Structures are given as C-alpha cells and as structure tokens.
Amino acid sequence: MQRGSFSHKNYGYSHHDQKGPSQAIDVHDIFVKKSKTRVILSYVGIFVFLANACYSLLVKEELSTSSFWSIFVGVLFAKCLQYKPVKKESVVIMPTFGVQLETHFWSGRVIHRFVPIGKILRPVLNECVTPVTCYWSLALMLRGEENLLLIFQELQPPVKMLVPVWKALCAATNGKEISSS
Amino acid sequence: MDERRRHRILMVSDFFYPNFGGVENHIYYLSQCLLKLGHKVVVMTHAYGKRSGIRYMTGGLKVYYVPWRPFIMQNTLPTFYLTLPIIRNIIVRERITVVHGHQAFSTLCHEALMHARTMGYKVVFTDHSLYGFADVGSIHMNKVLQFTLADVDQAICVSHTSKENTVLRSGILPEKVFVIPNAVDTAMFTPAPNRLSCDEIVIVVISRLVYRKGADLLVEVIPEVCRLFSNVRFIVGGDGPKRVRLEEMREKYSLQDRVDMLGAVPHAQVRSVLISGHIFLNSSLTEAFCIAILEAASCGLLTVSTRVGGVPEVLPDDMIVLAEPAPGDMVWAIRKAISMLPSIDPHVMHLRMKSLYSWHDVAKRTEIVYDHALQSSEKNLLQHLPRYLKCGTWAGKLFCLVMIVNFLLLHLLELWQPVESIEEVPDMLLVQHQDEEIEHDFSEARKKS
C-alpha cells in the first residue's frame, strides 16, 4: 500500500507498506531519477576516451609519454561523466525485529545489510561539513560500536527525504524500548 | 523579541575554543550574552586537529569547525576565493543577517568579510590588537586591513587608543568606529575568602614570556625589587621563548626561593594563582586593552603596569599604578604599590569591578552597532567599488579587480549551486522534549520550501 511519495531534483522518495507475518513492514525507497542528460554525457565521455585511445594507438607510430598521458586523461574524463551505478537505496523497517538496508544497482546487483533492533541505540540526523559544502546524513548509533552506520551509503538525498525515514526509525526503536521496559 | 530586531549573527575568526586567549574569550562571552538577549549566533572557525565539523556549546551556540588546515600561527591558508563556497553555504543555510569578523591577524576573517560583502550582507569588524606602521609585516597587514575596512559597515575597537591606531592604519572614517571595551567574567574571578597577611608580599606575573609582553623588562626589574625589599616574593606563570632568560636571572642572583616559575598555567587555574598574591605586575610593551589586569582587579589584586596603548583607559587610578616601560620607573611603581597595599580591600575592589565591567553591557552595546549596520544603505557591490579605488594608486585598482573576480565567481557558483538548493537549517530550541521540537521545526521548514 502506497503511503506517500514526492520527488526533488535528482532523487525521488516513496514510502509503502508490505504485509509481514505479524505486523506491517515499512519500506522507504530513495531512487535516482534517470536523467537523459547524464546518460548522454556518459556516452560522450566513453566516446572521447575511445577516440583518444584509437588515435594514440593507430595514428601515432609509437607510444610515448604524451599518448599515455592523453589516455589517462581520457579515462578520468569518462569516469567523471559516468552516472552513479546506484538505482535505489531502501530501508525496510520490521518492527520489533530489525532494519534492513538495501542498495540496488542498475546492473541488477543488490547489497543487503540487516541490523537487529536490539543493536540500534538511536537513529541520528547528522550535519556534515566538508571544505566546500555542508550536507545532512542519516546514521544509526549502534550499541558497542564506535562508528556510526550510514543508512544511505551511496546517495546523498536532501534532508526533507531523510526526515520521514528518521521519524519511522525513531518510532520503531522507541516502540521496542517501551515494550521491553 | 520581534522578528524585525532579532539579528542572526555569524562570528568569524581563526581564534576560538579550544584555544584560550583574549580574542577567543571575547567571542565566546559576547556570543553567550547575545544568545541571552534573544539573537541567534553561529561561530565559524577552522578545524583544530580532530575537532572538525559542527559542535554545539553552552546555550545552543553552534560552532562550525571548517576542515581547512591552519598553516602559520593558527591562521588558515589564505586562498582568496576557495573559501567562497563554504562561507556562502553557511550564510545561506543559517539565514545570517550580519557577519562579524574578529582580529586583523585572522585570514579567515578577512576572506569571510570579503565574500559576505560581495554577497551583499552587512559586515562588522572588531580589532583586538595594536599594530605598528614601520616594519614589513605591519605594512602588509595594514594594506590587507585597508582592503577589508574599505567597505565595512561598522567597526568596533576595544579602546580609544585602539580606535586611533585602527583609523590611522586603515583610513576608515572615525564615525564608523565604535569603542566597546572588553569585560571580565567577575563570577569566575572572585577574591580569596580570607585576606592574605601582609608580612610577605607576593607579586604575581601571568603572561606569555615573549618580547611583546615585556619579559626582558621583568629580567631587570625582579632582581632589583628583591634587593630593595626583603619581604617580597614573585610568582611567574606562563611560558615562551624568554623563559630561558628568566631562569638564567634566577640562577645568577640565587633567587630560587624568592621567584617561583610555574610554567604554562591553564586558564581554569589562573584564578587560583592570582588569589595567592597581593600585587599583579604587567610589563607589556604594547597592549590594546589587556584583559589580564581586569582579571587581577576582579580578584582583588592591586595592579602595577606599563603605561602603553590602551592600559590607562582600563582601571580607575586607585586600582592601578602606571609606570613607563623602563626598569627604574617600574621599581618605583612597585614601591608605591607596596605602600598602598594596607588601604586596599579585595572585596570592595571586586564589587566595583562587577559594576564597572560586564559582558551583558558589551552585548547590549554590540547590539546597537548591529542595528546601525543594518540601517546603512543597500547599494550593490558595483556601486561600492569606488571605495576600493581610494586605497592607493596601484593597490586600489588591484582591490577592485579582486572584488570583480569574486563577484563573477559568485555568479558562477549560483549557476552551479542555486540558493534554492541550499537547505535551510531549523533553529535548535533547547527544550526537554527535543525530538518533538526538532520534528516540528523540520516540518515547518519543509512547508516553507
């Protein structure tokens, strides 16, 4: 059952329920919108790299430092223009059981990570500062571990998409605390 | 407080906690008092070691430790334009109205004021130190200051002497400069509960042992005073390159039992060192204000100081004995101070200091400066460019060029990352049910965007 969805620039958010064995399972998805511009740019990047490589190998008689250098630059250019291989990242909240973090790639590969509800101390919204910008991230504080676990490992969604996920995680962890006390 | 008068201030400086010093304490105390008055204050500084990112201090004071490495004397590497993205980001996300820079020696402050001015925000600058005019370092520093103050809305100096010095160095109009002296936390610096006996007189010195703070004068004065007065003892706290000279003086005159060298004294322990003495000795060769004398007076000590810079403006005549920065004159001043000691009551002195100096008063006066800054004209950067041309024949044109390039880079940045894409931060309210309040703020922010 679809509970809500909205989109913002490159990212889209959707929230729906699934029927579980005893309780409803909450699923929050953040997916990358496929943008034609980025696809075209990535093909341009690959084309430039291939043209560069062919020119260096076929037209020039011997491979010199400049041809290696131009191939290297071509590789970098193609790499920069490539869009991220991530299709979507999901958070599946199973109350009283745990939270599953999933990363889906365009190639079809999926990475799962399960965190039992007892291991979660608290979900936190962090403000991160880099030398050029500031952004928000959602992370889990885990019992017995020093490092925070990032919920969205690859994507950097805007804070208005992180807030409903954070609220749902808080409700799930608080509910467990109330039931265990 | 109505929204119209509530300011959202960004304090910028290279010098902040976890460093301890005059500028650092000034920014911290001023921010706390402004928060109490209902304004929003955010501090921006560079990262200190592993202390990087966003931290919250007492009262909800938000501090951005931006991960730029300091390169010399705690200053960020001056990159001119590379700090534009992060400064613009912080100003937009916190919805800042006034940018307040501290200390002429801070490169981050100058860059932040330059970028804030390019973006059209109101800027205020506070100068905390006196500088010379003749040596190469001062000449360059003064040129940089001239550039920053060419287009600042208001400036603040900590004493009238400092105002004169700043106006001469930078060419800013005197009408734009306000004088707001520093203050002292009298709740922290209280006198000893029991009065010390006057059989043995203890003279306390706490300062960095460097040339600027007159450590060489101390080397001359201490043996002379010990020779003239057999019941006088010295306690010297602080560290620095001149410590070796003081240790040598101790050895030469065999004063090990009469001069205690404590080494660097952490700020939290300064009061306990001060209350063990009767007289505080300050031998600085230059000083814009000198908070150390305020701390000593608040603890009930009689002060002996050199008559330099803004020192004569700090304390009333019955709390301080001034001398020229020459050993003979200073010894005479100490003699006079020792004779004045029986008439000094530390608790009365402390109560007087409480009424004379308070950070709340400084915050109220600073608020007036912000109000003046916001009333100044709303011209855009291009109309302000002629002000930079007055800085010099070649320098003026160079400064104009720097600002024009900054303006163009700002517009490029606005294409790359428009203002709408920078998410505004909800104000952190310190209440018991923090989660509900934060959720409320976020949903309000979502509705607005």
Side-chain angles (χ1 to χ4, degrees):
Chain A
M1 184 184 82
Q2 183 87 349
R3 289 274 284 272
S5 70
F6 57 88
S7 71
H8 173 79
K9 263 181 82 174
N10 302 330
Y11 297 107
Y13 165 79
S14 84
H15 173 207
H16 53 273
D17 280 341
Q18 277 177 17
K19 204 77 180 77
S22 53
Q23 283 171 290
I25 295 173
D26 232 0
V27 181
H28 301 263
D29 290 327
I30 291 188
F31 50 89
V32 179
K33 285 197 260 182
K34 205 160 180 168
S35 152
K36 286 203 181 112
T37 335
R38 295 195 75 87
V39 173
I40 291 171
L41 275 178
S42 73
Y43 282 128
V44 163
I46 294 172
F47 174 71
V48 164
F49 159 65
L50 283 174
N52 211 1
C54 291
Y55 175 76
S56 311
L57 291 168
L58 297 172
V59 176
K60 285 202 176 154
E61 266 135 33
E62 59 195 30
L63 288 174
S64 62
T65 342
S66 62
S67 53
F68 277 125
W69 179 246
S70 57
I71 291 175
F72 176 68
V73 168
V75 167
L76 271 181
F77 186 62
K79 188 88 179 51
C80 285
L81 286 182
Q82 274 287 313
Y83 53 83
K84 273 198 166 133
V86 177
K87 184 171 139 192
K88 76 170 180 181
E89 294 209 71
S90 300
V91 180
V92 182
I93 301 173
M94 293 161 267
T96 70
F97 189 50
V99 173
Q100 168 125 313
L101 309 174
E102 296 173 355
T103 308
H104 299 251
F105 294 89
W106 290 112
S107 57
R109 190 164 66 106
V110 183
I111 297 178
H112 302 277
R113 172 145 186 186
F114 179 73
V115 186
I117 201 87
K119 194 123 194 272
I120 301 175
L121 188 58
R122 203 163 170 82
V124 286
L125 272 170
N126 260 341
E127 280 184 272
C128 309
V129 183
T130 68
V132 289
T133 189
C134 302
Y135 63 93
W136 291 88
S137 67
L138 182 57
L140 290 175
M141 283 175 71
L142 301 174
R143 289 178 204 276
E145 280 189 40
E146 268 187 23
N147 295 335
L148 298 173
L149 173 66
L150 280 176
I151 302 264
F152 299 107
Q153 306 266 345
E154 307 287 338
L155 303 178
Q156 242 180 51
V159 72
K160 54 171 139 186
M161 290 185 186
L162 295 176
V163 170
V165 184
W166 174 71
K167 279 189 202 173
L169 284 166
C170 281
T173 36
N174 283 346
K176 186 256 167 193
E177 278 170 15
I178 290 167
S179 65
S180 65
S181 61
Chain B
M1 164 165 293
D2 52 309
E3 277 304 317
R4 208 167 26 99
R5 282 200 59 218
R6 186 175 184 243
H7 300 294
R8 302 175 71 89
I9 303 144
L10 177 69
M11 301 274 190
V12 189
S13 182
D14 273 307
F15 309 105
F16 194 63
Y17 184 84
N19 253 11
F20 278 104
V23 181
E24 294 85 339
N25 282 343
H26 173 104
I27 299 174
Y28 177 74
Y29 283 120
L30 178 60
S31 305
Q32 290 294 330
C33 292
L34 285 169
L35 283 168
K36 284 245 164 60
L37 285 172
H39 302 288
K40 163 136 173 118
V41 184
V42 176
V43 179
M44 178 178 157
T45 182
H46 66 77
Y48 285 85
K50 284 202 173 160
R51 195 182 190 90
S52 157
I54 292 171
R55 298 278 190 279
Y56 288 90
M57 296 181 83
T58 320
L61 177 64
K62 189 169 182 180
V63 187
Y64 281 81
Y65 288 98
V66 179
W68 282 94
R69 290 247 154 240
F71 88 114
I72 188 171
M73 291 175 73
Q74 292 295 333
N75 275 313
T76 325
L77 181 71
T79 53
F80 281 97
Y81 302 115
L82 289 181
T83 40
L84 177 60
I86 185 71
I87 288 173
R88 173 174 174 261
N89 205 303
I90 292 175
I91 291 179
V92 172
R93 75 201 303 265
E94 300 285 349
R95 292 167 282 154
I96 298 292
T97 53
V98 180
V99 178
H100 188 165
H102 290 266
Q103 189 61 314
F105 201 62
S106 162
T107 47
L108 189 63
C109 159
H110 288 294
E111 288 189 18
L113 293 187
M114 172 171 89
H115 298 314
R117 214 54 208 102
T118 316
M119 291 193 272
Y121 288 93
K122 302 296 178 193
V123 300
V124 176
F125 175 75
T126 297
D127 202 354
H128 292 261
S129 303
L130 297 177
Y131 288 101
F133 295 83
D135 55 297
V136 177
S138 294
I139 293 174
H140 284 114
M141 169 68 67
N142 294 345
K143 213 65 194 172
V144 171
L145 189 68
Q146 216 178 4
F147 167 66
T148 302
L149 294 188
D151 200 20
V152 80
D153 289 292
Q154 306 291 344
I156 299 174
C157 288
V158 293
S159 64
H160 293 280
T161 315
S162 175
K163 174 176 173 173
E164 219 178 286
N165 186 264
T166 303
V167 166
L168 287 171
R169 274 159 52 217
S170 64
I172 186 177
L173 293 169
E175 296 82 57
K176 277 191 175 179
V177 185
F178 288 74
V179 175
I180 304 178
N182 278 328
V184 66
D185 186 4
T186 44
M188 189 167 148
F189 291 95
T190 49
N194 301 317
R195 209 169 155 171
L196 295 171
S197 81
C198 283
D199 297 334
E200 189 187 47
I201 297 180
V202 180
I203 302 183
V204 178
V205 179
I206 299 185
S207 82
R208 281 179 297 136
L209 301 174
V210 294
Y211 168 71
R212 219 175 131 99
K213 297 288 182 184
D216 297 303
L217 266 177
L218 280 180
V219 170
E220 311 272 324
V221 164
I222 292 178
E224 188 61 23
V225 169
C226 287
R227 187 182 69 84
L228 288 171
F229 304 98
S230 54
N231 62 338
V232 166
R233 213 162 53 84
F234 279 86
I235 295 179
V236 179
D239 207 348
K242 296 282 180 180
R243 188 177 172 176
V244 175
R245 282 206 71 193
L246 280 162
E247 302 273 11
E248 280 171 2
M249 176 261 315
R250 245 173 118 208
E251 294 281 328
K252 186 174 167 188
Y253 294 95
S254 309
L255 295 170
Q256 287 89 342
D257 54 337
R258 295 186 65 189
V259 177
D260 291 329
M261 303 281 295
L262 299 178
V265 180
H267 193 250
Q269 287 167 22
V270 165
R271 186 229 167 213
S272 56
V273 175
L274 285 173
I275 57 172
S276 62
H278 302 83
I279 294 177
F280 182 76
L281 177 60
N282 175 51
S283 54
S284 303
L285 299 180
T286 171
E287 202 72 74
F289 186 78
C290 201
I291 298 188
I293 343 185
L294 283 186
E295 291 171 354
S298 182
C299 287
L301 276 78
L302 179 61
T303 305
V304 172
S305 175
T306 42
R307 187 183 283 115
V308 290
V311 171
E313 299 174 39
V314 177
L315 287 176
D317 290 332
D318 55 333
M319 288 188 185
I320 186 168
V321 182
L322 294 168
E324 297 306 315
D329 221 28
M330 291 192 69
V331 171
W332 168 87
I334 292 177
R335 181 195 294 273
K336 184 176 173 195
I338 292 174
S339 67
M340 276 168 76
L341 265 183
S343 59
I344 298 289
D345 184 349
H347 291 274
V348 168
M349 208 186 239
H350 173 78
L351 289 169
R352 270 183 83 188
M353 288 303 296
K354 230 169 138 172
S355 63
L356 285 174
Y357 285 102
S358 116
W359 281 110
H360 293 286
D361 182 50
V362 173
K364 285 205 190 89
R365 289 160 83 166
T366 313
E367 197 182 30
I368 296 173
V369 177
Y370 294 145
D371 291 336
H372 273 262
L374 284 174
Q375 279 162 15
S376 58
S377 58
E378 283 278 347
K379 294 194 209 130
N380 65 20
L381 174 74
L382 295 172
Q383 287 165 315
H384 278 216
L385 277 180
R387 292 189 190 180
Y388 290 101
L389 285 171
K390 289 185 198 154
C391 294
T393 335
W394 291 108
K397 295 181 177 70
L398 178 66
F399 293 161
C400 275
L401 189 63
V402 165
M403 288 307 279
I404 290 169
V405 171
N406 206 21
F407 188 70
L408 293 170
L409 283 173
L410 177 70
H411 280 271
L412 269 173
L413 196 58
E414 274 176 7
L415 286 173
W416 177 259
Q417 192 184 32
V419 171
E420 297 76 36
S421 69
I422 300 177
E423 295 156 328
E424 288 177 2
V425 175
D427 288 339
M428 186 69 65
L429 296 164
L430 292 181
V431 288
Q432 276 202 337
H433 302 288
Q434 276 192 318
D435 286 341
E436 285 100 30
E437 283 293 338
I438 294 170
E439 282 177 28
H440 171 76
D441 286 329
F442 266 114
S443 53
E444 287 292 322
R446 262 172 66 187
K447 280 178 203 158
K448 279 183 201 162
S449 57

